[in-house]
Amino acid sequence: MADPTFYVTTPIYYVNSVPHLGSAYTTVAADVIARFKRMCGYDVFFLTGTDEHGQKVAKAAADAGKDPKEWADEVVTHFYAAWQDLLITNDDFIRTTDERHLEGARSFLQLLYDKGDLYLGEYEGLYCVQCETFWLPSQLVEESQCPDCHRETTVVKEENYFFRLSQYQDRLLEHIKAHPDFIQPNVRRNEILSFIDQGLKDQSVSRTSLTWGIPCPFDEKHVMYVWVDALLNYITAIGYGRDEAHFAKYWPAQWHLIGKDILRFHCVIWPAMLMAAEMPLPERVFAHGFLLTEGERMSKSKGNVVSPAELIAKFGVDAYRYYFMREISFGQDGSVSMESMTARFNADLSNDLGNLVSRVIAMVDKYVDGIVPEPGREEGLDTELKETARGLFSQIDARLGVLGYADALSAIWEFVAKANSYVDRSTPWDLAKETSLEERLRTVLYNCLEALRQIAIVVWPFMPSACEKLWAQLGIPEPISRQRIPAALEWGSMPIGGKVTKAEGLFPRIYE
Ligand code: MSP
């Protein structure tokens, strides 16, 4: 039987600026779940990409004196590089200027038009250029400013095509109520429920005020509203209108990962568009919170953006990925700082995990010539360690099932602590002094190595390169990426007789 499929997406990022911690945050989170699900035997499709049309990008290009496509071609290379630096294993990268996207998006819109779900109307509204959003007067701050970016809004009046969003109000409510998992976390679900309860207005889906967009197939004077264009990436990338078999294999997505600022687009407009096209809705949308530096949302306009590259240079890619997944509860806002990153690094990585690895490997090297020993009779301490390991998979699986990255890591770190205390309590250094305790020494060292093997596997989705190094030290020939869980977590799978190699510390302490 074919492996079950698992389709996970990130938002597609605007190419008005280069990747920052915010875009890296969602992308790392999606990568962790993609790697984990692959390890669980799923046929994963992990999509990310760039949003290249619309006013915001046109403006950035014009400011740089470039043609928008030329500009996008340049900026997108920074995304490719950043995702490579962060060891992101996306299966595809969609750009909304890709031919495949243009075609798919146009046929989708034509479908809605043919079904009578679009009509021509006049729109007059308060528009924020930066956010590509029309606002109601009641939503503005300081009388005329955009509530998101605090820039001045302008009155825009133009002929637009409208999507009959209002007609989907009841069906949307029904769907959200019948599928409690559809919008997560719960606070976002409630936010959307009360938003829909206030009544939905039809949604403008085209523009005549700009040309940098996809022409509407039924009226070429209009280009698609950038958000409609962008949302369609989730289906055009996997073959909508082009490769129906591939499309049917992966759609609907299991997860759309997004930031909380783009909730309405994903939980109101997008599902209604899909309903209009009579297509299944994504299974779940998760809106994470914002990363804050010194209490403020990080954004380019505030000038408090730190680049992922700076942090990777200082802490390494593994610690980078670990920190964001461990420090902030996914779904909530969270403060990030150099100080807390250094503290986490030294405590969790250098002390807890790094020391465990280096002392176990050093003892195996010293006491049994680096050869994985055959264990003897099991004692109480061993059973305890083994039992803790036994519960690990189901805990991680349950926590990652609701994108509880920090919780999953804390369960893993409880096991790391358990393994450290196993070493302390079983005192191999004393056992090594007595030849009569040789069997006990072998058993203890074997269990320590087995614990490291299990840790390497479960930590790998979070810290792939460090775990690959640890794996190499353990001398296991089959690659770590090929391990299939839970089978590979069967206690006692560490191959006896293999050669363990000492290496440099995985996480040398950072002093500052
Ligand atoms: N292009 C749209 C998304 C279209 S998806 C069909 C867009 N792009 S964006 O580049 O502006 O933002 C992409 C994502 O980055 C959003 O989910 C947003 O929440 C996230 N972040 C931007 N700044 C952020 C933080 N400071 N912290 C966490 N994530 C934030 O919106």
Side-chain angles (χ1 to χ4, degrees), residues 11-14 20 22 51 227 230-231 233-234 258-259 261-262 266 288-291 297-298:
I12 49 171
Y13 305 105
Y14 284 127
H20 54 71
D51 192 351
W227 265 103
L231 288 163
N233 92 87
Y234 300 130
I258 60 166
D261 53 333
I262 56 177
H266 285 82
H288 64 69
F290 288 144
L291 302 180
R297 174 180 175 188
M298 214 172 34

Coordinates of all heavy atoms in Angstrom, one line a residue, residues 11-14 20 22 51 227 230-231 233-234 258-259 261-262 266 288-291 297-298, ligand 1:
P11 N 3.4 30.2 4.5 CA 3.0 31.3 3.7 C 4.0 31.5 2.6 O 5.2 31.1 2.7 CB 3.0 32.5 4.6 CG 3.1 32.0 6.0 CD 3.8 30.7 5.9
I12 N 3.6 32.1 1.5 CA 4.6 32.5 0.5 C 5.0 33.9 0.9 O 4.2 34.8 1.1 CB 4.2 32.3 -1.0 CG1 2.8 32.9 -1.2 CG2 4.2 30.8 -1.3 CD1 2.4 32.9 -2.7
Y13 N 6.3 34.2 0.9 CA 6.8 35.4 1.4 C 6.9 36.5 0.4 O 7.3 36.2 -0.8 CB 8.2 35.2 2.1 CG 8.1 34.1 3.2 CD1 8.6 32.8 2.9 CD2 7.4 34.3 4.4 CE1 8.4 31.8 3.9 CE2 7.3 33.3 5.3 CZ 7.8 32.1 5.1 OH 7.6 31.1 6.0
Y14 N 6.6 37.7 0.8 CA 6.7 38.8 -0.2 C 8.2 39.0 -0.5 O 9.0 39.0 0.4 CB 6.2 40.1 0.5 CG 4.7 40.2 0.5 CD1 4.0 40.5 1.7 CD2 3.9 40.1 -0.6 CE1 2.6 40.6 1.8 CE2 2.5 40.2 -0.6 CZ 1.9 40.4 0.6 OH 0.5 40.5 0.6
H20 N 13.7 37.2 7.0 CA 14.1 37.7 8.4 C 13.7 36.6 9.4 O 13.2 35.5 9.0 CB 13.6 39.0 8.7 CG 12.1 39.1 8.5 ND1 11.2 38.5 9.4 CD2 11.3 39.8 7.6 CE1 10.0 38.8 9.0 NE2 10.0 39.5 7.9
G22 N 11.2 36.3 11.2 CA 9.8 35.9 11.2 C 9.5 34.9 10.1 O 8.9 33.9 10.3
D51 N 5.8 35.3 -2.8 CA 4.6 36.1 -3.3 C 5.2 37.3 -4.0 O 5.7 38.2 -3.4 CB 3.8 36.5 -2.0 CG 2.4 37.0 -2.3 OD1 2.1 37.2 -3.5 OD2 1.7 37.2 -1.4
W227 N -3.8 38.9 -2.9 CA -4.1 37.9 -2.0 C -4.8 36.6 -2.6 O -4.6 35.5 -2.2 CB -4.9 38.4 -0.8 CG -4.0 38.8 0.3 CD1 -3.6 40.0 0.7 CD2 -3.3 37.9 1.2 NE1 -2.7 40.0 1.7 CE2 -2.5 38.6 2.1 CE3 -3.3 36.5 1.3 CZ2 -1.7 38.1 3.1 CZ3 -2.5 35.9 2.3 CH2 -1.7 36.7 3.2
A230 N -2.1 34.9 -4.4 CA -1.2 34.2 -3.5 C -1.8 33.0 -2.9 O -1.1 31.9 -2.8 CB -0.8 35.2 -2.3
L231 N -3.0 33.0 -2.4 CA -3.6 31.9 -1.8 C -3.7 30.7 -2.7 O -3.5 29.5 -2.3 CB -5.0 32.2 -1.3 CG -5.1 33.1 -0.1 CD1 -6.5 33.8 0.0 CD2 -4.7 32.4 1.2
N233 N -1.5 29.6 -4.6 CA -0.2 28.9 -4.7 C -0.3 27.5 -4.1 O 0.3 26.6 -4.5 CB 0.9 29.7 -4.0 CG 1.1 29.3 -2.5 OD1 1.8 28.4 -2.2 ND2 0.4 30.0 -1.6
Y234 N -1.2 27.4 -3.0 CA -1.2 26.1 -2.3 C -1.8 25.0 -3.2 O -1.5 23.8 -3.0 CB -2.1 26.2 -1.1 CG -1.7 27.2 -0.1 CD1 -2.5 28.2 0.4 CD2 -0.3 27.2 0.4 CE1 -2.1 29.1 1.4 CE2 0.1 28.1 1.3 CZ -0.8 29.1 1.8 OH -0.4 30.0 2.7
I258 N 0.8 29.5 9.3 CA 0.8 31.0 9.0 C 1.1 31.8 10.2 O 1.0 31.2 11.3 CB -0.6 31.4 8.4 CG1 -1.7 31.1 9.4 CG2 -0.9 30.7 7.1 CD1 -3.0 31.8 9.1
G259 N 1.3 33.1 10.0 CA 1.3 34.0 11.2 C -0.1 34.5 11.5 O -0.9 34.5 10.6
D261 N -1.3 37.3 11.7 CA -1.7 38.5 11.0 C -2.4 38.2 9.6 O -3.1 39.0 9.1 CB -0.5 39.5 10.7 CG 0.6 38.7 10.0 OD1 0.8 37.5 10.2 OD2 1.4 39.4 9.2
I262 N -2.3 36.9 9.2 CA -2.9 36.6 7.9 C -3.9 35.5 8.1 O -4.2 34.7 7.2 CB -1.8 36.2 6.8 CG1 -0.9 35.1 7.3 CG2 -0.9 37.4 6.5 CD1 0.1 34.7 6.3
H266 N -6.7 33.2 5.3 CA -6.6 31.8 5.3 C -7.8 31.1 5.8 O -8.1 29.9 5.5 CB -5.3 31.3 6.0 CG -4.1 31.5 5.2 ND1 -3.4 32.7 5.2 CD2 -3.4 30.7 4.4 CE1 -2.4 32.6 4.4 NE2 -2.3 31.4 3.9
H288 N 0.6 31.0 14.1 CA 1.6 31.3 15.2 C 1.6 32.7 15.6 O 1.1 33.6 14.9 CB 2.9 30.7 14.9 CG 3.6 31.4 13.7 ND1 4.1 32.7 13.8 CD2 3.9 31.0 12.5 CE1 4.6 33.0 12.6 NE2 4.5 32.0 11.8
G289 N 2.3 33.0 16.7 CA 2.4 34.4 17.1 C 3.5 35.2 16.5 O 4.2 34.7 15.6
F290 N 3.8 36.3 17.0 CA 4.9 37.1 16.5 C 6.2 37.0 17.4 O 6.1 36.8 18.6 CB 4.5 38.6 16.5 CG 3.5 39.0 15.5 CD1 2.6 39.9 15.7 CD2 3.5 38.3 14.2 CE1 1.6 40.2 14.8 CE2 2.6 38.7 13.3 CZ 1.7 39.6 13.5
L291 N 7.3 37.1 16.7 CA 8.5 37.2 17.4 C 8.7 38.7 17.8 O 8.6 39.5 17.0 CB 9.7 36.8 16.5 CG 9.6 35.4 15.9 CD1 10.8 35.1 15.1 CD2 9.5 34.3 17.1
R297 N 7.0 43.9 17.9 CA 7.0 43.0 16.8 C 8.2 43.4 15.9 O 8.4 44.6 15.6 CB 5.7 43.1 16.0 CG 5.8 42.3 14.7 CD 4.5 42.4 13.9 NE 4.8 41.7 12.6 CZ 3.9 41.8 11.6 NH1 2.8 42.4 11.7 NH2 4.2 41.1 10.5
M298 N 8.9 42.4 15.5 CA 10.0 42.7 14.6 C 9.5 43.0 13.2 O 8.7 42.2 12.7 CB 10.8 41.4 14.5 CG 12.3 41.7 14.4 SD 13.1 40.2 14.6 CE 12.0 39.1 13.8
Ligands
MSP1 N1 2.7 37.2 1.1 C1 1.9 37.1 2.3 C2 1.5 35.7 2.6 C3 0.7 35.0 1.5 S1 0.3 33.3 1.9 C4 -0.7 32.8 0.7 C5 2.6 37.6 3.5 N2 4.0 37.7 3.4 S2 5.0 38.2 4.5 O1 6.3 38.0 3.9 O2 4.6 39.6 4.8 O3 4.7 37.5 5.8 C6 4.8 36.1 5.8 C7 4.7 35.5 7.1 O4 5.7 36.0 8.0 C8 3.4 35.9 7.8 O5 2.8 34.7 8.3 C9 3.8 36.7 9.0 O6 3.0 36.4 10.1 C10 5.2 36.2 9.3 N3 5.9 37.2 10.0 C11 6.3 38.4 9.6 N4 6.9 39.1 10.7 C12 6.8 38.3 11.8 C13 7.4 38.3 13.1 N5 8.0 39.3 13.6 N6 7.2 37.2 13.8 C14 6.7 36.0 13.3 N7 6.2 36.0 12.1 C15 6.0 37.2 11.4 O7 2.0 38.0 4.5

